[in-house]
Amino acid sequence: MKLIFEKSISGRTGFSLPASDVAEYKLSDGALRAAAAELPEVSELDLVRHYDALAARAYGVDSGFYPLGSCTMKYNPKLNETVAALAGFTELHPLQEPSSAQGALEAIYTLTESLKEITGMDDGTLQPAAGAHGEFTSLLMIGAYFKKKGEKRTKIIVPDSAHGTNPASAAMAGFEIVNIPSDANGYVDTEVLANAMTEEVAAFMLTNPNTVGLFEKNIGKISRIVHDKGGLLYYDGANLNAVMGIVRPGDMGFDIMHINLHKTFSTPHGGGGPGSGPVLCKKALAPHLPYPLVEKKKDGRFGYRKTSLASIGRVRAFQGNFLVEIRALAYIIALGREGIRDAAEKAVLNANYMKSLVSEFLTAPHKGACMHEFVASCEKLKEETGVSALDVAKALIDHGMHPPTIYFPLIVHEAMMFEPTETESRETIDEAVAALKEIVAQAKTDPESIKKSPLTTPVGRPDEVKAARKPILKI
Amino acid sequence: MKYTPHTQQDVREMLDKIGVDDISDLFAAIGTASGEGLRAIGKSPIETERAMVALAEKNKVYKTVFLGAGAYRHYIPPVVKHIAANPRFVTAYTPYQPEMSQGILQAIFEYQSCITRLTGLDVSNASMYDGAAAAAEAVAMCINGEKDILVSDGVNPAVREVVAAYLRGSGRTAVSVPLDEDGLTDIGFLEGYGERAACCLVQQPNYYGNIERTKEIGAVLNRTDVKYILHTYPIALGLLASPAEVGADFATGEGQPLGMPLSFGGPYLGYIAAKEKYVRKMTGRIVGETTDRDGRRVYVLTLQAREQHIRREKASSSICSNEALCALTAAVYLGAVGKEGFRAVARACVDNAHYLKEVLESAGLKTRYSTAEFFNEFVTVSDKKSSVILNELKRRGILGGLKLSDGEILWCATEMNTKEEIETVGNIVRKLL
């Protein structure tokens, strides 16, 4: 398919402004660019058809099943889109005075309060733009907390099953990373943790349920090990969907955490963003939250809190990804306490149902109930047939679904990580499993055909080595 | 309201298949009961919509806006919102499976191409959280031993604060480059600093609206091997010298003016572009072109060896989710206004802002920096309290400029402001003075 630049015709336009009725002002030549930027020159219809063709080559939750493990690709309710498009939200300047933005501040306040209730935390900010941004913000806060206490703690412990963002965010915040191995179930080995947990360690970052989809049973013990040495316990909220309304990170002993509104609270992923990564924390860390923070005043009006001198500052220019927050607020208002719990229960039900079906023909290395996601392994299939997790994933595309996450977590070989989410019906799961079963059967009789997939897409498998060796990053 | 499709029979049969009696059995590992949780009970869609509309109605939407200072109201052709609302763009995630995500990948490739064309630089990534975060990560990429990090006082204070927060990790603080009496970055200071600096962040036009002598700054920085990061207002790139033309190593900026509504601060779009030599250190996702086995052109996420999921603590950044839909929106906007339309928007901003300045001066306000050229923002100074002027405008349904101090206001005009609006502001101000 042509690029928009390849459809451009010199002199064509689909845009006009009102005729100017003020004098033209000429800036001095020295300040000007030599030539206009070569932007596309197309009609409005050209533009519409171009993007319609691009949309036909894209696939979202609205298109079909999207069990991308760790990403919580649940349905994005359309009501939330409608309310996020209200002019009362979209046409507000971020520097408008609080008196003229009472509804916006109330929305921020209410969402923060709701998230505090759901997580069992004492305070929070909605400012970070994504989960990794929330991690980075939290780690800066952890750094500020120990600095204020006069303790020199330079290390962060991260399990080898953690999302890559954990160690990357900790490094950006200036910490040294201590990686610790998990056991075969992705659980924290408490002995290993106890040995690594010195007084140089600022925090231990944990995802619970873990990235294998199992709830960390030893969380009480882990909390004691970390806190006994004066460290903090960080909760990576990527998997909060499995436990919201059932158990709270604040009650499990976590001190600080981020939430992914675009996962747990149903806001659309936008082809990779915008997300929103609120940070919630216990009282002791609250003075270090970034500003601006919203408060409800005694007279019931909303305004900005007085800036704490211990604050880490700002992690972005304005309040946060506000329209994402509006969608999440609408979702929480609609679901309420029962709906939140129901979402977690059905997410876990769907994952266990799918796991029980898949484990009949693929290895699911972790026995017993999983939480909202599970990992299957194609290691044995690959040994027998040469067909890898990647091949199976590509073949699933030909069956009209998005493949699961593959090759993560790193601790399982040939991993396929399925997260069906709560909004999928039993029939959808049945169909996906039937497709997977057919592929596994075909791998045993005709592995070459699987390795050629996908065949139904506009393009075949890309040469990724070539892409990286001689990068072409623009036209 | 629940968005789960399960009937009671579904639940029963699914539990049978799993081999447990009750959903609670699946949560046995959790054991202990937890605290209260969310207090509010659920609402129907009608009630939810009413609650959200009630919140929206508590906000004041101004028809007339003269406030910028980092977030700008520009015309968004309806076709932009229409295209960017396509559910196949909205409900997709990061294009990990290129064969079924060519639409998203090509759109991002086109966005990267637009940014390189606007900035004149070689490489753009797929987007950053916002303009301030883009500037902060560009600064982080330039850290070089113990050399100092320079940030001009002409950079938006919010951007400076974000740079400062990001630098906390390295234990560094930036050195402020003062402005001269014309409200422009002090080039003499940069010359004096010489090679002791690793990088310098400059904003064009600067926070006070003044057009910086970016070429002269570039000459000094290039000579002393100090990395030059130019933080730009994208609309101004329609007319002003591109970052590449003035010798910048990096260009960053807030992409919100490219088709995104003000939205009380987000979602916005950070853009970052760099010279070729920085490509393998670049932060964030990057889309590249390659081929499939039949030789067809294919787009993929590339150079992933820089990224967190591969490199973990050695990654160039921790970015995973970015602002992809905003990047797509910017590409659609730039396609909608096109090569000439984009210049026309920039010209209208310049013309309207200069008319606003003339009207405010004739109403009795003085301009704070009278010698420097400006793009579409400028500062006025007066004995009359800024708050008196701005409150009176507010009373008349006009969102005036930003109060910088008791007597100073930062004004902004765009193509959205009419001659009549400008003259109304002039008349209101004249009566107050």
Side-chain angles (χ1 to χ4, degrees):
Chain A
M1 189 184 150
K2 282 184 176 174
L3 292 158
I4 190 81
F5 300 97
E6 295 164 337
K7 296 175 179 174
S8 182
I9 301 290
S10 179
R12 185 168 288 165
T13 179
F15 179 77
S16 80
L17 283 175
S20 178
D21 49 6
V22 302
E24 188 184 338
Y25 185 89
K26 278 212 178 318
L27 295 170
S28 64
D29 290 343
L32 303 180
R33 63 191 294 149
E38 289 296 333
L39 296 172
E41 296 180 272
V42 294
S43 70
E44 187 169 314
L45 180 57
D46 292 337
L47 192 75
V48 167
R49 290 204 177 134
H50 180 72
Y51 280 97
D52 186 71
L54 290 181
R57 292 166 166 238
Y59 183 98
V61 173
D62 285 13
S63 321
F65 194 33
Y66 211 129
L68 193 63
S70 204
C71 299
T72 314
M73 300 300 289
K74 63 170 77 175
Y75 173 62
N76 313 129
K78 302 308 170 196
L79 169 61
N80 304 347
E81 299 304 305
T82 300
V83 298
L86 291 168
F89 296 132
T90 61
E91 300 306 310
L92 289 188
H93 195 290
L95 298 173
Q96 273 185 229
E97 282 181 26
S99 62
S100 66
Q102 284 294 299
L105 296 176
E106 184 177 342
I108 290 172
Y109 178 83
T110 308
L111 180 57
T112 308
E113 289 301 304
S114 302
L115 296 176
K116 280 161 60 179
E117 290 175 15
I118 290 168
T119 60
M121 293 288 177
D122 300 325
D123 209 340
T125 173
L126 307 183
Q127 200 178 109
H133 202 207
E135 292 172 6
F136 174 60
T137 303
S138 301
L139 287 152
L140 289 180
M141 289 170 62
I142 290 169
Y145 170 83
F146 285 115
K147 196 173 173 192
K148 195 177 170 200
K149 283 184 81 174
E151 294 180 29
K152 190 167 166 57
R153 289 179 182 253
T154 54
K155 295 178 180 171
I156 297 286
I157 304 179
V158 177
D160 59 359
S161 58
H163 299 112
T165 52
N166 290 184
S169 296
M172 272 174 83
F175 290 102
E176 189 185 321
I177 314 306
V178 181
N179 287 294
I180 59 166
S182 313
D183 73 11
N185 287 321
Y187 288 130
V188 174
D189 183 327
T190 48
E191 234 169 83
V192 173
L193 175 65
N195 287 333
M197 191 63 218
T198 66
E199 276 165 10
E200 286 183 308
V201 173
F204 176 45
M205 299 181 81
L206 187 60
T207 309
N208 192 20
N210 65 25
T211 57
V212 172
L214 300 175
F215 189 84
E216 190 65 68
K217 287 181 224 177
N218 289 324
I219 186 60
K221 191 173 176 189
I222 291 167
S223 170
R224 278 193 300 279
I225 292 170
V226 173
H227 291 128
D228 282 352
K229 289 279 192 240
L232 296 170
L233 194 53
Y234 181 84
Y235 185 85
D236 177 334
N239 292 348
L240 183 64
N241 202 48
V243 296
M244 61 175 179
I246 289 160
V247 66
R248 307 191 303 177
D251 299 331
M252 289 183 228
F254 288 93
D255 302 290
I256 181 163
M257 66 179 290
H258 80 266
I259 292 175
N260 305 74
L261 294 184
H262 49 290
K263 296 181 181 178
T264 315
F265 297 98
S266 86
T267 70
H269 284 65
S276 176
V279 168
L280 284 295
C281 65
K282 292 280 177 67
K283 209 169 279 166
L285 283 147
H288 309 292
L289 282 164
Y291 55 77
L293 291 166
V294 173
E295 67 178 355
K296 188 174 186 176
K297 298 183 186 293
K298 284 198 181 96
D299 63 1
R301 306 212 18 108
F302 296 88
Y304 293 111
R305 282 192 229 171
K306 193 165 172 274
T307 301
S308 159
L309 290 174
S311 166
I312 59 161
R314 280 177 199 272
V315 291
R316 52 175 291 155
F318 301 111
Q319 286 85 345
N321 276 344
F322 178 68
L323 297 183
V324 178
E325 296 159 13
I326 289 296
R327 289 175 175 91
L329 178 60
Y331 180 74
I332 290 173
I333 289 175
L335 259 58
R337 58 178 298 137
E338 282 315 297
I340 292 282
R341 186 184 174 97
D342 171 71
E345 287 180 346
K346 300 293 165 48
V348 171
L349 175 69
N350 277 358
N352 278 284
Y353 176 69
M354 189 167 184
K355 183 185 174 203
S356 67
L357 294 172
V358 169
S359 59
E360 289 173 0
F361 56 88
L362 271 183
T363 316
H366 309 104
K367 303 301 163 212
C370 64
M371 300 304 285
H372 66 305
E373 64 191 3
F374 68 95
V375 179
S377 169
C378 292
E379 193 175 13
K380 199 159 149 260
L381 184 73
K382 194 179 174 190
E383 276 167 23
E384 288 169 12
T385 66
V387 169
S388 66
L390 179 74
D391 297 322
V392 174
K394 298 300 181 192
L396 280 169
I397 296 173
D398 282 333
H399 286 266
M401 63 175 274
H402 195 287
T405 295
I406 49 173
Y407 301 109
F408 186 83
L410 309 174
I411 56 175
V412 176
H413 296 295
E414 295 293 321
M416 300 192 94
M417 185 193 209
F418 292 92
E419 182 181 7
T421 83
E422 71 276 14
T423 51
E424 297 299 333
S425 69
R426 182 188 170 187
E427 292 75 24
T428 301
I429 296 172
D430 288 343
E431 282 167 27
V433 173
L436 189 61
K437 195 171 179 180
E438 197 183 313
I439 292 162
V440 170
Q442 201 182 332
K444 289 173 181 166
T445 56
D446 183 10
E448 289 313 306
S449 68
I450 303 289
K451 288 182 186 173
K452 284 192 188 114
S453 58
L455 297 167
T456 57
T457 45
V459 296
R461 294 191 203 182
D463 183 345
E464 303 205 11
V465 175
K466 179 178 163 187
R469 204 174 44 222
K470 282 187 80 179
I472 303 171
L473 310 175
K474 61 165 183 181
I475 180 171
Chain B
M1 181 64 195
K2 290 174 183 169
Y3 295 103
T4 45
H6 305 71
T7 65
Q8 281 181 1
Q9 194 185 343
D10 286 336
V11 173
R12 187 68 267 145
E13 290 175 9
M14 290 166 82
L15 288 172
D16 285 349
K17 175 70 201 171
I18 298 164
V20 298
D21 293 331
D22 192 87
I23 287 185
S24 62
D25 295 339
L26 300 173
F27 291 91
I30 292 178
T32 52
S34 201
E36 177 71 7
L38 188 67
R39 282 196 282 272
I41 55 164
K43 285 183 162 49
S44 66
I46 295 179
E47 294 163 303
T48 305
E49 187 167 342
R50 268 186 209 136
M52 297 307 291
V53 168
L55 285 175
E57 285 174 348
K58 288 183 197 170
N59 299 317
K60 168 77 182 164
V61 174
Y62 290 94
K63 284 200 182 66
T64 303
V65 176
F66 290 99
L67 177 59
Y72 301 89
R73 195 178 63 136
H74 287 284
Y75 180 63
I76 303 173
V79 67
V80 176
K81 284 183 185 167
H82 180 87
I83 290 173
N86 190 310
R88 284 187 182 252
F89 299 140
V90 172
T91 71
Y93 190 40
T94 303
Y96 293 124
Q97 298 291 341
E99 300 87 346
M100 69 195 309
S101 309
Q102 283 299 296
I104 303 271
L105 287 159
Q106 183 173 330
I108 300 300
F109 184 84
E110 291 179 3
Y111 160 80
Q112 291 174 185
S113 301
C114 285
I115 295 299
T116 58
R117 287 167 184 228
L118 288 180
T119 59
L121 292 168
D122 305 310
V123 187
S124 160
N125 82 357
S127 69
M128 303 291 287
Y129 301 136
D130 75 348
E137 291 219 20
V139 167
M141 284 165 71
C142 295
I143 290 178
N144 176 7
E146 293 305 306
K147 285 191 172 189
D148 283 337
I149 290 147
L150 305 182
V151 176
S152 165
D153 280 346
V155 174
N156 187 316
V159 175
R160 279 187 270 155
E161 287 172 40
V162 175
V163 170
Y166 270 68
L167 282 175
R168 293 175 78 97
S170 61
R172 311 290 293 268
T173 48
V175 174
S176 291
V177 181
L179 300 185
D180 62 20
E181 55 196 28
D182 295 330
L184 297 172
T185 299
D186 187 340
I187 295 178
F189 182 93
L190 295 178
E191 277 173 335
Y193 221 86
E195 288 158 10
R196 286 176 291 149
C199 64
C200 181
L201 176 66
V202 177
Q203 181 176 319
Q204 177 75 322
N206 73 21
Y207 182 61
Y208 305 102
N210 301 328
I211 297 177
E212 292 276 6
R213 295 160 296 198
T214 49
K215 276 179 198 160
E216 287 85 339
I217 293 170
V220 173
L221 297 178
N222 291 167
R223 191 167 63 231
T224 48
D225 200 25
V226 177
K227 305 274 190 294
Y228 184 9
I229 306 166
L230 196 57
H231 192 68
T232 48
Y233 171 39
I235 299 294
L237 294 178
L239 288 177
L240 300 186
S242 72
E245 285 173 311
V246 301
D249 294 276
F250 295 88
T252 57
E254 176 49 68
Q256 172 271 327
L258 305 175
M260 277 140 270
L262 289 166
S263 308
F264 207 53
Y268 284 2
L269 163 71
Y271 59 85
I272 182 167
K275 286 182 176 168
E276 182 81 42
K277 61 181 171 182
Y278 303 108
V279 64
R280 287 179 198 271
K281 285 175 78 178
M282 193 72 161
T283 169
R285 310 261 187 209
I286 299 178
V287 173
E289 183 187 307
T290 183
T291 49
D292 69 4
R293 71 171 160 262
D294 296 325
R296 285 175 293 199
R297 190 161 63 174
V298 186
Y299 301 97
V300 291
L301 293 173
T302 193
L303 304 176
Q304 299 193 60
R306 304 163 292 113
E307 291 190 59
Q308 46 79 24
H309 59 286
I310 311 266
R311 290 293 293 279
R312 300 177 79 86
E313 61 266 30
K314 295 191 179 67
S316 56
S317 168
S318 71
I319 288 189
C320 181
S321 285
N322 54 20
E323 303 283 308
L325 191 63
C326 299
L328 181 143
T329 303
V332 178
Y333 170 83
L334 291 168
V337 298
K339 180 180 172 183
E340 281 311 314
F342 191 60
R343 282 173 81 95
V345 170
R347 267 194 223 103
C349 290
V350 170
D351 293 349
N352 285 342
H354 284 79
Y355 186 60
L356 175 66
K357 174 188 169 238
E358 188 186 315
V359 166
L360 290 176
E361 278 180 339
S362 80
L365 295 179
K366 288 193 177 62
T367 39
R368 171 80 174 75
Y369 305 105
S370 50
T371 48
E373 281 199 294
F374 68 97
F375 185 76
N376 71 332
E377 292 184 275
F378 59 89
V379 179
T380 59
V381 59
S382 152
D383 296 337
K384 198 80 190 173
K385 272 192 178 304
S386 304
S387 53
V388 171
I389 295 172
L390 296 173
N391 284 337
E392 178 59 15
L393 289 172
K394 198 165 143 187
R395 206 180 62 79
R396 305 280 292 270
I398 296 170
L399 184 58
L402 184 74
K403 176 183 161 183
L404 291 182
S405 69
D406 270 356
E408 290 174 312
I409 298 174
L410 174 63
W411 300 88
C412 171
T414 71
E415 78 281 9
M416 297 295 276
N417 299 113
T418 63
K419 188 178 182 192
E420 195 186 344
E421 285 177 0
I422 291 168
E423 287 169 357
T424 303
V425 172
N427 291 334
I428 293 170
V429 171
R430 181 174 297 113
K431 282 182 195 146
L432 285 174
L433 298 183

